Amino acid sequence: MMDSKRDKDQDADCEKITPGLLKSRTGEFDLESILFLKLRGLGIVDLGCIGECLNLEKLDLSGNNITNVAPLASLRLLSVLCLSSNRISNLEPLRNCEGLQNLNLAGNIISSIENLQCLQLLRKLESIRLKDNTYNYTNPVCRNAAYRNIVLEMFPHIKVLDGERVVGRGSELYQLCKDIDETIKAGSYKNGQLVEHTDCKPWVEDNYWELKRSNNAIIEEAYKQFNDVLHECRLLNNRASHVISQTERSMSLKKQPKQYAI
């Protein structure tokens, strides 16, 4: 009964972030010494004293019941913030988190583009996530047909939106693959039925991908030397396996108890 009561008290404490909870989770007695903090899925409703962790850089509060993010306003060094799967609609306090680079808000109740305007002051912001197809997280604002284009216009400096690169290395390839995929899907179905193309031909000849030997004498010699070395390696491997096998057999015989004839 005592243990059950203690567990219930601990669960109740988790509804609000307290110095005791932070100390037990991080081992730090000075809240300003905490740099990284993960408080995922604890049923937290009240952020309590989280604002006292002034040097916090990475914070994960996903999977809770948070509605008010006001205590986060003092975390100016925060660079990574995950608030996915909560009940947040007002982002105004986050305008003060000037060091924020990566923000995950998927799975909340952000209803309009106007709710995002306060984030335009965050000049270091590179990644915003408002929906996550992996976990089926989204926000009402994502239902807007022009949502993606509007967000990209509002935040011209971001590199990643909803997990997809929009600028920088890999973004053009990602967009190309996405366009090809959509084109293939559009051409593969007619009246909801998959269309089979019996006259499809390969893009290249059958032997196109086969490794062709070069006439260059240097390359030929290198190729020969490589094969010789590979052959020697295989021989050494066989010898090593044989020696190991003999050693193991010898050791097993030594471990057997001696038998004496009477």
Side-chain angles (χ1 to χ4, degrees):
M1 291 293 290
M2 291 293 293
D3 292 339
S4 178
K5 185 177 185 300
R6 191 181 298 113
D7 292 340
K8 289 182 179 179
D9 291 340
Q10 290 177 348
D11 290 341
D13 290 341
C14 286
E15 292 181 2
K16 180 178 181 179
I17 296 179
T18 62
L21 174 63
L22 296 179
K23 291 173 184 177
S24 67
R25 285 273 166 172
T26 64
E28 298 284 353
F29 288 91
D30 182 4
L31 298 187
E32 293 188 16
S33 298
I34 301 175
L35 303 179
F36 312 105
L37 187 58
K38 182 183 290 186
L39 299 173
R40 183 187 300 171
L42 298 179
I44 295 171
V45 177
D46 188 342
L47 292 177
C49 64
I50 193 71
E52 297 177 29
C53 304
L54 298 178
N55 292 310
L56 201 58
E57 296 177 7
K58 296 183 180 180
L59 176 60
D60 185 353
L61 290 167
S62 60
N64 288 292
N65 297 310
I66 299 166
T67 57
N68 181 14
V69 295
L72 301 179
S74 60
L75 306 181
R76 298 181 181 275
L77 298 181
L78 197 63
S79 62
V80 179
L81 176 60
C82 182
L83 291 168
S84 65
S85 187
N86 277 283
R87 296 186 295 164
I88 300 166
S89 59
N90 182 12
L91 304 173
E92 195 66 28
L94 298 184
R95 67 165 62 236
N96 296 313
C97 301
E98 53 193 29
L100 207 56
Q101 298 177 22
N102 188 314
L103 178 60
N104 188 342
L105 295 165
N108 281 281
I109 50 176
I110 301 166
S111 59
S112 67
I113 295 294
E114 287 71 24
N115 294 131
L116 303 175
Q117 290 179 347
C118 59
L119 302 178
Q120 290 180 288
L121 299 174
L122 305 177
R123 301 302 179 188
K124 295 182 180 181
L125 195 60
E126 296 181 349
S127 174
I128 303 175
R129 185 185 282 276
L130 291 163
K131 63 179 180 178
D132 188 337
N133 294 330
T134 303
Y135 298 100
N136 200 26
Y137 291 161
T138 186
N139 279 276
V141 66
C142 301
R143 298 171 189 163
N144 187 326
Y147 149 77
R148 180 179 173 84
N149 292 333
I150 294 174
V151 171
L152 291 178
E153 288 179 6
M154 288 178 63
F155 302 95
H157 302 296
I158 67 169
K159 298 178 180 179
V160 181
L161 175 60
D162 297 333
E164 299 178 4
R165 292 194 67 87
V166 292
V167 295
R169 185 177 181 181
S171 60
E172 294 181 359
L173 177 60
Y174 181 89
Q175 188 59 46
L176 176 61
C177 292
K178 187 176 180 180
D179 291 343
I180 292 174
D181 188 49
E182 290 177 354
T183 302
I184 291 174
K185 287 181 179 179
S188 298
Y189 289 86
K190 186 175 182 180
N191 298 325
Q193 298 294 324
L194 182 64
V195 178
E196 294 185 6
H197 298 278
T198 56
D199 57 342
C200 291
K201 297 181 180 179
W203 291 1
V204 295
E205 297 176 0
D206 292 340
N207 61 346
Y208 180 83
W209 300 108
E210 292 181 4
L211 184 63
K212 298 177 181 179
R213 299 286 295 276
S214 171
N215 294 326
N216 190 307
I218 297 176
I219 295 178
E220 287 288 340
E221 181 61 25
Y223 184 82
K224 180 179 179 299
Q225 290 181 10
F226 174 77
N227 280 327
D228 291 341
V229 171
L230 187 60
H231 179 67
E232 290 180 7
C233 289
R234 287 171 178 164
L235 291 176
L236 287 173
N237 180 64
N238 292 336
R239 291 173 187 171
S241 298
H242 179 67
V243 171
I244 291 172
S245 177
Q246 285 185 325
T247 303
E248 290 177 344
R249 189 181 301 109
S250 175
M251 291 179 67
S252 64
L253 290 174
K254 288 181 179 180
K255 290 180 180 180
Q256 291 181 0
K258 296 181 179 180
Q259 297 180 353
Y260 297 93
I262 299 176

